[in-house]
Amino acid sequence: MRVAPAASILVGIITLVTLATAAAVPRLVERQATAELTSQLQAIGPVGRSLQGAGNFPEDWPTDPPPDLNQLYGDLDANFELTYENLPYPLKRLVGHPSWIVQTTTVQGVPRQGSRPFLGFQLTADPKYLSRIRIVQGIAPATWSTTDDLSPDVTRSIPVDVAVSLVAARQLNLQVGDEVGVDVFDGIPDRLYRISGFFEPVDPASDYWKHNSSLLPATTALAQYGVAYPSVAAFVDPLSVGRLAKAFGAARVSLWYPISATGADGADAALLDQQLARTTATGASTANSFDSLPLTTRSQEAVETAEQRVQLLAGLLALLAAAPMGLVVAVLVLGVQVVARARRTELILAAARGGSAWQLRGELALEGALLSIPSALVVTAVATILIPVRVEPAGFVLPGLVAVLPPILFGALATTRERPGTVAAIALQLRGIAEIAVIVLAALSVFLLARRGLAQATTQVGVDPLLSVAPLLLAVSVGIVVLRGYPVPMRLARRMAVKGRGLPAFIGAVRASRAPTVGLAGVLALVVGISVALFSTVLLTTFEASITRAAQESVGTDARVDAATLSSAQVRAVERVDGVRAVAAIDYLSSLTATHSPFNSVSVVLAQTGKLSTMRKLPAGLTELVDGRVPVVVSSDVLKSMGSQRTATVQDVKVRVVGSLPSGFGLGFDSGWMMVDEAFASKFTSSFVPATLLIKADPVKLDTLLVPLQKAVGVTPDADPFASAVTVSTVPHAISDRESEPVIAGVRIGLLAATVLCTLLCILALVLATAAAAAARGRTAGILRTLGMPRRRLVALIAWELAPVAVVALAAGAVLGCALPFVVTAAVDLRPFTGGTHRPVPVLDPTLLGWVLGTFCLVILVSGAIAVAIGDRVNPSSTLKMGA
């Protein structure tokens, strides 16, 4: 090991870096899976995550005497808790204890004060409500209890205390002490309700108020004869429910189990998906009923999305890592060749002393083991400590495979012969068959990749090795073609050199055509290096373009505002924001009845088409009647269902189709919609109340437009997006949100890491290939020096070894690097990463590709300079023998 230790140290460094990569990458992917699962669960908010359901409130208690809390709610609460206790792990680690409230339908009443004709109460009972609210005016509701010896008239005169929110009280000008009569007949109410106090939430940001947002503001109810009137949620004392059997007889229980977005392990995604499906199918057990309470959640959809994206990420990273890992093996082979050739004199001496071939190979294999196995143990232990994730087999198998590779290579390449032995000679004879096999495997891999797709393969079998090595097989195939076709131009160069006077050119051309110094490993390094660099560049630009396009699709234009309803004051405020050029208001009417048409119903988009046409390309003629019919634009699916028919009647309005647009046009409905100009809104609805504002902005000010728009519509910039009634989005903000997702970051890091790794390995491969050929070059150089050739002209020999093959491999790698993205995007649907409705296609940026090619040419020049410097240090006299 003391002979030429530099080469052994270099092999050890390469092995150490490879071990670190093999130990860290599976753990980082596992951490990425956890981050993606957390991100998807956070994206749907606490209400979307929770397991929630609603059912009838079980009325099964004695009314005399008034039941206590345990009689009213004990069985119900115990059953909900039992459902929680029976949840399986790991789901139970994410789910919290149940919360629930009981609410009646809106009770229509007549206030005794004021001029309002009606006021509705949605009576609400929660045994723990006093821990969630704070009475800020008046007192908490008292328990309403009556006895049977009281006459009905006296019972009717005793009011039921309720508490309403301070927000609703201010909206409706309510006062403490106001009374509302219910079921009034001949001026006498059957039940009387009194507002005993106003409350505020103790913690407005808690999940309780997000699940029960209707408890705070005033809402609108509709009387049986169609008159709208205000309504408020009203807490009653939990014990009062026992005497309000009539009101609570049709009450509903709203139940939810909170689910935490953090604490989930990405490796449990598939198991969580199954457990959530089983839990929602089973439901929650209820008291006094054989039927369970149905549960729903969006968490299962989020888990499935995270699982799909992580599987696709793992497949894509395997696809990206295959070529660099093949290059690592090639570089290790070159490094071990350098070490083995440096040890050849010592091996010959040991063989002369009686050492067998197996002993000699065993000694070199031991050297390789000392370089790799201790490093593997240390690196794996450090990776386990620094990246604490659940132990997966890949985290130990991959470092183990890397650790056994150097001993195998050291033992296989150890030889005392200048010429190939019997086994090596047979291998050389089978080289052609092996090359054909590699090319056939590359074609099969690409065919399967295009046919099955990476997403389908990773879903069915995980990371498919044959599909993942497609880029490597293609690179090796291109390298084989380069080496097989490379001697042809070199023979032509040799013929030209014969006619010239340059001896180095003639000898260099002869050596390059007969025995290329760089060899398959060097050519593979060049082809893989430039192809991966260009492939990563094209894929990064493709990601950028696809994410931008998806953001534009989701926003609809430069910016948008969405709400249930938007007032005219909010619209005017948005129009006055600096940087806003145009605002198009849109209202939505869902599922209007259609007659005299192939479809039964259609959703109507009422839009200011004149302003919208400045942002989107719309058909002309939407503001004037066509043969007495309202002109409309329909989605492509509606047009297809109509066939040749272009007229219909929607909500008794005769319409005529004047054009169509893609279904996913970003107008609120994915399919089955019809657009009508604002001028004809009165034919479909009583008033045009916009719910969406599409905004065209000054491109210079678009990046800073989000906060001014939020202020214009009354949204606090740091407000919880899940608690806000109005949402504002811009294209830059949507792009930023998408780019911050863990999977997108993982893809970017993988692409950049593959580029950097391949570039460094390319430099090492060229230097090692030149160093490995030092002995053969030295013999030729010694003869030439003996014949009188100056030392400085020997540099040309090394240039002939590198320059022609570098040019050919660079050209082949550039073609492969530009072709690979088309192969990958044809097999891998990147929409789970980028979003949007259009499948991403490769985007070739000539300027950026030119910079990459120029940078790689500079890398090759630097590598060549290093190789020339190393080759020039070889003393030719040391390679000559008497009689040679």
Side-chain angles (χ1 to χ4, degrees):
M1 292 182 68
R2 290 181 295 179
V3 179
S8 295
I9 293 173
L10 181 59
V11 171
I13 293 174
I14 297 172
T15 303
L16 180 62
V17 173
T18 308
L19 284 169
T21 304
V25 168
R27 290 170 169 82
L28 291 176
V29 171
E30 178 64 27
R31 176 175 285 186
Q32 200 79 0
T34 300
E36 178 62 23
L37 180 58
T38 301
S39 176
Q40 291 295 329
L41 289 174
Q42 288 175 337
I44 60 177
V47 178
R49 285 195 301 271
S50 65
L51 284 162
Q52 50 191 303
N56 295 326
F57 180 51
E59 182 189 351
D60 187 16
W61 59 80
T63 57
D64 188 21
D68 58 23
L69 286 178
N70 187 61
Q71 287 177 297
L72 284 171
Y73 311 109
D75 290 344
L76 194 65
D77 195 60
N79 278 273
F80 291 159
E81 284 289 343
L82 179 63
T83 300
Y84 167 77
E85 294 297 333
N86 290 335
L87 289 175
Y89 285 96
L91 177 60
K92 190 174 181 179
R93 287 200 301 265
L94 304 179
V95 180
H97 289 275
S99 297
W100 51 274
I101 62 172
V102 179
Q103 281 189 309
T104 67
T105 56
T106 302
V107 178
Q108 180 182 336
V110 179
R112 290 195 168 187
Q113 299 85 8
S115 58
R116 184 180 295 108
F118 297 112
L119 176 64
F121 282 146
Q122 190 172 17
L123 303 179
T124 306
D126 179 357
K128 302 177 183 178
Y129 85 109
L130 287 178
S131 65
R132 310 184 194 277
I133 67 171
R134 177 175 51 250
I135 301 296
V136 294
Q137 189 174 344
I139 60 174
T143 303
W144 187 76
S145 58
T146 60
T147 59
D148 291 339
D149 56 356
L150 296 177
S151 66
D153 293 337
V154 174
T155 302
R156 284 194 292 266
S157 66
I158 300 175
V160 179
D161 283 350
V162 297
V164 300
S165 72
L166 185 62
V167 172
R170 289 173 176 173
Q171 288 177 319
L172 302 178
N173 297 319
L174 301 178
Q175 301 294 327
V176 173
D178 285 353
E179 295 183 348
V180 176
V182 174
D183 292 338
V184 179
F185 179 75
D186 199 18
I188 300 175
D190 184 63
R191 184 76 65 238
L192 195 62
Y193 294 92
R194 179 178 59 198
I195 299 176
S196 66
F198 302 144
F199 69 85
E200 287 182 341
V202 172
D203 181 11
S206 70
D207 288 354
Y208 181 87
W209 300 105
K210 294 173 182 176
H211 280 88
N212 302 291
S213 56
S214 62
L215 294 179
L216 298 178
T219 57
T220 300
L222 195 66
Q224 293 180 355
Y225 38 84
V227 177
Y229 62 92
S231 175
V232 294
F235 277 113
V236 299
D237 183 89
L239 284 176
S240 298
V241 174
R243 284 296 190 178
L244 296 172
K246 181 178 180 181
F248 280 87
R252 301 278 289 176
V253 176
S254 297
L255 164 72
W256 69 96
Y257 295 86
I259 295 181
S260 173
T262 58
D265 195 319
D268 292 331
L271 184 58
L272 285 174
D273 185 11
Q274 298 173 4
Q275 292 176 350
L276 283 169
R278 193 159 50 245
T279 301
T280 53
T282 305
S285 60
T286 56
N288 306 317
S289 176
F290 294 104
D291 297 326
S292 60
L293 191 70
L295 295 175
T296 60
T297 180
R298 290 178 57 195
S299 290
Q300 185 180 357
E301 179 184 350
V303 170
E304 290 175 351
T305 301
E307 184 182 8
Q308 177 192 12
R309 298 183 80 186
V310 169
Q311 287 177 342
L312 194 54
L313 174 65
L316 188 59
L317 290 180
L319 205 65
L320 293 173
M325 288 301 101
L327 186 52
V328 166
V329 175
V331 172
L332 281 176
V333 169
L334 289 172
V336 173
Q337 279 182 346
V338 174
V339 176
R341 289 178 182 180
R343 304 280 194 276
R344 181 167 293 167
T345 302
E346 284 66 29
L347 293 175
I348 292 174
L349 180 60
R353 290 182 168 183
S356 67
W358 287 107
Q359 285 179 314
L360 301 179
R361 293 181 186 276
E363 289 185 7
L364 274 185
L366 177 61
E367 179 178 349
L370 291 176
L371 289 174
S372 63
I373 293 178
S375 299
L377 296 175
V378 173
V379 166
T380 304
V382 171
T384 303
I385 295 172
L386 296 181
I387 311 175
V389 295
R390 180 187 300 176
V391 178
E392 293 291 332
F396 296 100
V397 172
L398 291 180
L401 292 176
V402 175
V404 300
L405 184 59
I408 293 174
L409 292 177
F410 270 91
L413 297 177
T415 179
T416 59
R417 302 178 181 181
E418 295 290 340
R419 296 172 180 263
T422 305
V423 177
I426 295 174
L428 287 175
Q429 293 176 358
L430 297 177
R431 176 181 172 182
I433 298 176
E435 291 174 350
I436 294 174
V438 169
I439 295 174
V440 170
L441 278 177
L444 177 62
S445 179
V446 172
F447 171 75
L448 292 177
L449 189 63
R451 182 172 182 178
R452 292 170 55 189
L454 190 65
Q456 180 182 354
T458 52
T459 301
Q460 293 176 348
V461 299
V463 177
D464 191 324
L466 183 58
L467 301 187
S468 299
V469 298
L472 176 60
L473 291 174
L474 285 174
V476 175
S477 300
V478 171
I480 291 171
V481 172
V482 169
L483 284 179
R484 287 296 185 181
Y486 172 70
V488 176
M490 287 299 98
R491 293 191 190 102
L492 179 61
R494 183 184 62 187
R495 295 192 189 99
M496 295 176 63
V498 169
K499 300 177 182 179
R501 297 182 179 180
L503 185 59
F506 172 73
I507 296 176
V510 171
R511 282 179 51 79
S513 60
R514 291 181 178 177
T517 302
V518 175
L520 180 61
V523 171
L524 179 64
L526 288 170
V527 171
V528 170
I530 187 61
S531 63
V532 170
L534 291 177
F535 170 69
S536 301
T537 302
V538 173
L539 216 57
L540 280 173
T541 55
T542 301
F543 264 93
E544 294 290 342
S546 300
I547 289 174
T548 301
R549 181 171 184 175
Q552 292 171 342
E553 288 180 0
S554 63
V555 176
T557 181
D558 295 333
R560 72 184 293 153
V561 178
D562 293 286
T565 59
L566 291 166
S567 66
S568 57
Q570 289 175 311
V571 176
R572 289 193 299 269
V574 169
E575 292 174 337
R576 290 194 297 266
V577 171
D578 185 26
V580 172
R581 290 184 174 179
V583 177
I586 298 176
D587 191 10
Y588 303 102
L589 304 175
S590 299
S591 301
L592 299 188
T593 303
T595 56
H596 303 95
S597 67
F599 50 89
N600 297 323
S601 64
V602 66
S603 298
V604 174
V605 178
L606 300 174
Q608 296 173 330
T609 58
K611 297 179 180 179
L612 186 60
S613 62
T614 64
M615 311 171 196
R616 302 288 195 85
K617 187 176 181 181
L618 299 178
L622 289 173
T623 57
E624 301 291 337
L625 292 174
V626 180
D627 298 330
R629 292 178 174 269
V630 175
V632 299
V633 176
V634 297
S635 58
S636 56
D637 60 311
V638 172
L639 185 68
K640 183 178 180 180
S641 68
M642 295 182 70
S644 60
Q645 184 177 345
R646 290 295 178 269
T647 60
T649 301
V650 177
Q651 207 76 5
D652 297 328
V653 179
K654 296 181 179 180
V655 300
R656 182 175 185 84
V657 177
V658 297
S660 68
L661 293 170
S663 298
F665 197 61
L667 294 179
F669 297 111
D670 293 332
S671 60
W673 54 265
M674 177 180 74
M675 183 192 298
V676 182
D677 187 75
E678 177 193 12
F680 305 107
S682 59
K683 295 181 177 294
F684 297 92
T685 183
S686 58
S687 60
F688 178 77
V689 181
T692 296
L693 301 179
L694 295 183
I695 302 165
K696 184 179 182 180
D698 184 351
V700 177
K701 299 181 178 180
L702 181 57
D703 290 339
T704 59
L705 197 62
L706 180 64
V707 174
L709 287 176
Q710 289 176 329
K711 292 181 178 178
V713 295
V715 176
T716 307
D718 57 352
D720 184 354
F722 299 106
S724 177
V726 183
T727 58
V728 181
S729 55
T730 64
V731 170
H733 184 254
I735 293 174
S736 177
D737 284 346
R738 179 66 69 175
E739 290 180 341
S740 64
E741 294 178 355
V743 164
I744 299 298
V747 171
R748 284 184 165 180
I749 292 173
L751 291 173
L752 294 175
T755 301
V756 173
L757 180 62
C758 284
T759 303
L760 295 177
L761 290 174
C762 183
I763 296 174
L764 283 175
L766 291 175
V767 173
L768 289 173
T770 307
R777 186 190 314 110
R779 285 190 295 271
T780 303
I783 296 173
L784 294 177
R785 288 288 300 277
T786 303
L787 296 176
M789 178 178 286
R791 182 184 181 91
R792 65 179 182 274
R793 299 186 66 183
L794 295 177
V795 175
L797 288 178
I798 302 177
W800 268 98
E801 293 175 4
L802 292 178
V805 71
V807 172
V808 176
L810 188 65
V815 173
L816 178 61
C818 293
L820 270 178
F822 291 91
V823 175
V824 171
T825 54
V828 182
D829 188 356
L830 299 177
R831 280 177 292 185
F833 295 142
T834 62
T837 57
H838 295 83
R839 185 164 183 160
V841 294
V843 177
L844 302 178
D845 186 341
T847 303
L848 193 56
L849 293 178
W851 276 103
V852 173
L853 284 172
T855 303
F856 218 84
C857 288
L858 181 62
V859 167
I860 292 177
L861 289 176
V862 172
S863 304
I866 297 173
V868 167
I870 294 175
D872 195 43
R873 293 169 55 190
V874 176
N875 185 2
S877 63
S878 64
T879 62
L880 292 176
K881 298 179 180 178
M882 293 299 295

